[in-house]
Amino acid sequence: MNTKEIKEDKEPLPFREALRVWIKIGLLSFGGPAGQIALMHRMLVEERKWISNDRFLHALNYCHLLPGPEAQQLATYIGWLLHGTRGGLAAGLLFIIPGMVTVLILTLIYAGFQHVAAVQALFYGLKPAVLAIVVIAVFRIGAKALKTGYLMLLAGLAFIAMFFYQAPFPVVIIVSGLFGYLGMTFCPQRLGELCPRWIYGDIAAVQGIDEGGIIDLLLAKDEHGRFTPTLVRSLKVLVTWGSIWLGPVLLIVILLGPEHVYSKISLFFSKMAMVTFGGAYAVLSYMAQEAVSGYGWLHPGEMLDGLALAETTPGPLIQVVQFVGFLAAYRDPGILNPYLAGILGTILTVWVTFAPCFLWIFLGAPYVEQLRHNRLLNGALSGITAAVVGVVLNLSIWFGLSALFGKTTPLQFLGATVPIPDFASADWFGLLLAVLSFIAMRYAKFGMITVLTGCAGLGFFWKLLF
């Protein structure tokens, strides 16, 4: 749709059209947060021009500060900008449901047979294609976000801190925001011409300028005040979504007692939903320890099996929690059939994990939009944006090492841990697929779906033959 024509259109983007895109994103959201963010950037910013790059990064910055899966929250945020609450619900739920159903089916197979080799073969070829998408996204997002040498330096330092020193994600974001403020706002305001140009460049001239996305034109009009935060609206959202999240938890604990497996699942994963800063990997070790040693829900080593299932299916990687919830209820079914108990455990786990995500977005997004042009925050957000580029680069390299090498050896050097790939364990066919996917999308301009489908088919037959 030509954005020049939408000013006369009562509904610039039909809800039905948005639904089709959110379904497509939900079905193709492989590769963890890096791949999912790259996918949305390609489909929403580059191809359809629904949202400008600056506003996309602004929303992403906010989602990085929240507990929970940032990619799913970003989809919810953009859906809310387009069509209000129904748009946010559609985008957020459709991002979750395909992966939830797939993980549930694989978990049912795992619980019954503990064998998913055929399914893993089907998804084998997707990893190299997703890796290529992520690498392309690093180049494209970096080119638009790193507008000065100072921001490039912050992106590089964020990457080094996370990749080599395993710095906590929230610390990297907070420190980057602080240095972004000092360099991009404090320095030019206080030192004037004495502030080096390589630090702030021409950021002041371009900050807050959007690129004509459909959402940006909607926000400029906002005839009904849909995006304006008010105390009444905030209280209504807090009560509504707080009840949706915690109401079932309270009811289960009262009816079944605190020692019932469903009560433990609802309380444990509600707590997890409030502390999962930095994505799934940041809390996997804690969750595995509690699930194995604390509650006895899983046997040692099974968390890795659950992670393998989550990594080869669409949706947020944090959906590995439903694998844990299923097995917890499956092994303590009470009077229920074990498989039915496991399915109910999955639904409950997903509910208490993702309901808070809608609360964070619907409550905070209007205020985040109001602060978009706040000069005091522009510098901090520029620093966070730079750190996000470093984070995506870190995730892309980590994902590449995991997907293309069966083994890496940690090398200690100057206090850093450097993962050295074992080339004897390299997946050379996967590497070839990744290179071909990169060339096909970057230079031959093949469509993303074409490349993903082709790689999935090639990978499946390769696994069957070899």
Side-chain angles (χ1 to χ4, degrees):
M1 181 181 294
N2 189 336
T3 56
K4 293 181 180 179
E5 299 173 357
I6 69 173
K7 292 182 180 179
E8 283 79 35
D9 194 344
K10 292 183 179 180
E11 189 177 23
L13 181 67
F15 185 63
R16 184 177 300 177
E17 181 181 343
L19 276 180
R20 286 197 295 268
V21 174
W22 294 126
I23 291 171
K24 185 180 295 184
I25 289 175
L27 292 171
L28 298 176
S29 57
F30 296 90
Q36 293 154 2
I37 291 167
L39 172 71
M40 284 189 283
H41 188 272
R42 184 183 181 96
M43 294 184 69
L44 305 180
V45 178
E46 298 170 21
E47 295 179 355
R48 289 169 176 79
K49 311 295 184 186
W50 285 4
I51 182 171
S52 69
N53 183 71
D54 285 346
R55 194 177 294 278
F56 180 91
L57 293 175
H58 179 79
L60 179 58
N61 289 338
Y62 172 60
C63 295
H64 271 303
L65 297 175
L66 298 173
E70 61 267 33
Q72 186 264 349
Q73 290 168 335
L74 177 62
T76 304
Y77 193 125
I78 296 174
W80 172 80
L81 286 173
L82 282 169
H83 295 105
T85 300
R86 65 169 180 161
L89 280 172
L93 290 175
L94 291 172
F95 196 91
I96 299 166
I97 290 172
M100 174 188 170
V101 173
T102 308
V103 171
L104 177 58
I105 292 171
L106 295 180
T107 306
L108 284 165
I109 296 172
Y110 180 90
F113 306 101
Q114 301 218 350
H115 180 72
V116 292
V119 179
Q120 289 178 348
L122 180 63
F123 290 110
Y124 163 75
L126 289 172
K127 286 188 176 182
V130 170
L131 177 60
I133 293 172
V134 172
V135 172
I136 291 172
V138 171
F139 283 109
R140 288 178 173 169
I141 296 175
K144 294 180 179 180
L146 306 181
K147 299 170 184 175
T148 71
Y150 184 72
L151 292 177
M152 293 180 187
L153 176 62
L154 289 182
L157 292 175
F159 167 73
I160 291 171
M162 294 198 68
F163 187 77
F164 294 107
Y165 292 93
Q166 292 77 52
F169 176 82
V171 173
V172 172
I173 292 297
I174 292 171
V175 172
S176 298
L178 174 62
F179 277 94
Y181 167 76
L182 292 175
M184 310 302 293
T185 304
F186 184 84
C187 180
Q189 284 187 354
R190 294 301 179 91
L191 299 182
E193 293 298 323
L194 295 178
C195 183
R197 294 280 293 178
W198 71 272
I199 292 182
Y200 71 96
D202 293 323
I203 289 293
V206 298
Q207 275 180 338
I209 297 178
D210 294 312
E211 301 167 3
I214 290 176
I215 286 175
D216 305 299
L217 295 176
L218 279 173
L219 286 166
K221 293 165 63 175
D222 195 18
E223 297 171 351
H224 305 292
R226 176 158 59 94
F227 306 103
T228 303
T230 64
L231 179 59
V232 173
R233 180 194 177 281
S234 298
L235 290 174
K236 183 178 178 180
V237 169
L238 185 61
V239 171
T240 300
W241 283 96
S243 300
I244 290 173
W245 169 23
L246 296 175
V249 175
L250 182 61
L251 188 63
I252 288 171
V253 172
I254 292 174
L255 294 179
L256 301 179
E259 296 302 315
H260 194 279
V261 64
Y262 290 141
S263 298
K264 292 179 179 179
I265 287 173
S266 60
L267 291 172
F268 177 69
F269 288 108
S270 289
K271 180 175 67 175
M272 288 282 294
M274 294 186 287
V275 299
T276 51
F277 294 95
Y281 291 109
V283 295
L284 275 180
S285 59
Y286 168 71
M287 180 168 61
Q289 182 180 3
E290 288 296 308
V292 175
S293 303
Y295 293 97
W297 292 337
L298 270 63
H299 303 312
E302 286 188 327
M303 180 59 74
L304 292 178
D305 295 332
L307 184 59
L309 296 182
E311 283 184 326
T312 54
T313 55
L317 189 58
I318 196 63
Q319 284 186 167
V320 68
V321 298
Q322 74 178 84
F323 174 82
V324 178
F326 179 97
L327 290 182
Y330 174 83
R331 289 168 176 164
D332 186 11
I335 62 173
L336 298 176
N337 175 277
Y339 290 99
L340 175 59
I343 292 172
L344 293 176
T346 283
I347 295 171
L348 177 59
T349 303
V350 171
W351 183 280
V352 297
T353 297
F354 290 101
C357 297
F358 293 100
L359 171 61
W360 312 143
I361 296 300
F362 294 150
L363 182 63
Y367 295 96
V368 174
E369 287 301 314
Q370 288 292 307
L371 293 173
R372 221 178 99 67
H373 301 293
N374 187 302
R375 291 190 304 169
L376 295 177
L377 293 179
N378 275 341
L381 291 177
S382 295
I384 293 174
T385 299
V388 167
V389 176
V391 169
V392 175
L393 177 60
N394 165 64
L395 289 171
S396 65
I397 294 178
W398 184 92
F399 181 63
L401 291 174
S402 301
L404 302 179
F405 295 92
K407 181 181 178 182
T408 58
T409 302
L411 175 66
Q412 302 297 324
F413 180 73
L414 297 178
T417 301
V418 184
I420 305 298
D422 181 359
F423 286 92
S425 68
D427 180 357
W428 296 109
F429 184 74
L431 180 60
L432 176 63
L433 284 182
V435 172
L436 291 177
S437 298
F438 181 86
I439 294 172
M441 288 184 289
R442 177 80 171 178
Y443 299 107
K445 306 302 180 184
F446 275 73
M448 179 176 55
I449 296 176
T450 301
V451 173
L452 285 169
T453 304
C455 284
L458 289 172
F460 181 76
F461 286 113
W462 176 264
K463 278 294 187 181
L464 287 182
L465 295 174
F466 301 99

